[in-house]
């Protein structure tokens, strides 16, 4: 009697790696340049791995990745159309460079305003607005509910706006 050990399914990340050749081929349907297609694949993989926890096991991973690639391409296409070079003769336009001392003063004001905030508000503002964490990640760091993070962030933004504009906090 032979007992066959059940094969464990490959990790989703390994399955994603196995689909890279298919992603490259699919990317070539959107762009003709090999470099642009590689960039599209890279962006797709970045987005997919960043949100791999949203993938529903049992569904088609290849379709999920192709959908991400399609949406990525459409987003990039819209941006390129909106920021199309050559629409205006850019070479003739003067380059606007704001004075650097204003940024230095603004930085000092921002630091002072952040230090004057309550620790809960400052922490949430730095985590979400500064480090770009999701509400869920910030909630895990602060050991509180997502709703608490959202309300603290809203109050923190109002507090910072008031401190930066010189308005007293009501």
């Amino acid at each position: 009697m032979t007992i066959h050990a059940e094969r464990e399914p490959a990790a989703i990340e390994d399955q994603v790696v196995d689909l890279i050749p298919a992603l490259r081929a699919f990317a070539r349907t959107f762009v003709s340049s090999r470099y642009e297609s590689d960039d599209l694949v890279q962006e797709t993989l970045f987005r997919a791995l960043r949100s791999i926890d949203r993938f529903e096991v049992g569904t088609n991973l290849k379709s999920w990745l192709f959908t991400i690639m399609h949406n990525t391409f459409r987003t990039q296409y819209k941006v390129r159309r909106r920021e199309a070079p050559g629409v205006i003769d850019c070479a003739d336009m003067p380059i606007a460079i704001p004075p650097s001392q204003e940024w230095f003063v603004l930085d000092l004001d921002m630091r002072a305003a952040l230090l004057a905030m309550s620790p809960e508000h400052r922490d949430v503002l730095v985590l979400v607005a500064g480090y770009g964490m999701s509400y869920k990640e910030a909630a895990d760091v602060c050991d509180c509910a997502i709703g608490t993070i959202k309300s603290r962030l809203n109050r923190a933004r109002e507090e910072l706006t008031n401190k930066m504009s010189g308005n007293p906090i009501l």
Side-chain angles (χ1 to χ4, degrees):
M1 176 172 82
T2 308
I3 300 174
H4 295 284
E6 289 188 68
R7 232 182 96 205
E8 290 186 31
I12 294 174
E13 291 85 357
D14 293 338
Q15 294 175 23
V16 170
V17 170
D18 293 340
L19 288 171
I20 290 176
L23 288 171
R24 282 192 170 136
F26 190 56
R28 291 302 295 250
T29 64
F30 293 111
V31 292
S32 58
S33 165
R34 190 181 108 225
Y35 300 107
E36 286 181 270
S37 67
D38 286 346
D39 287 346
L40 183 57
V41 170
Q42 183 178 0
E43 183 65 24
T44 301
L45 291 171
F46 172 75
R47 291 179 184 206
L49 292 174
R50 183 179 61 195
S51 38
I52 197 76
D53 56 330
R54 292 191 216 148
F55 175 73
E56 296 178 23
V57 178
T59 59
N60 191 333
L61 179 62
K62 187 175 183 179
S63 296
W64 186 68
L65 291 170
F66 280 14
T67 301
I68 292 172
M69 180 177 284
H70 180 259
N71 292 340
T72 300
F73 175 75
R74 290 191 57 173
T75 302
Q76 290 175 349
Y77 179 76
K78 287 177 186 176
V79 169
R80 279 194 304 264
R81 283 199 50 178
R82 185 174 52 240
E83 300 174 357
V87 175
I88 300 173
D89 191 5
C90 300
D92 292 338
M93 295 177 62
I95 299 173
I97 301 174
S100 60
Q101 66 271 17
E102 289 178 20
W103 284 106
F104 180 75
V105 171
L106 183 60
D107 183 47
L108 291 176
D109 291 345
M110 175 76 79
R111 287 176 190 266
L114 281 171
L115 289 173
M117 294 175 72
S118 68
E120 294 86 15
H121 290 171
R122 180 178 53 244
D123 292 348
V124 170
L125 191 63
V126 169
L127 290 173
V128 176
Y131 292 131
M133 286 186 172
S134 68
Y135 294 140
K136 170 87 173 90
E137 293 169 328
D140 290 343
V141 169
C142 294
D143 195 30
C144 62
I146 292 175
T148 304
I149 292 295
K150 289 180 180 180
S151 63
R152 283 182 187 173
L153 182 61
N154 185 42
R155 289 192 302 267
R157 286 177 174 157
E158 286 178 20
E159 185 178 349
L160 184 62
T161 300
N162 287 331
K163 287 183 182 303
M164 291 299 292
S165 63
N167 296 335
I169 298 176
L170 302 175

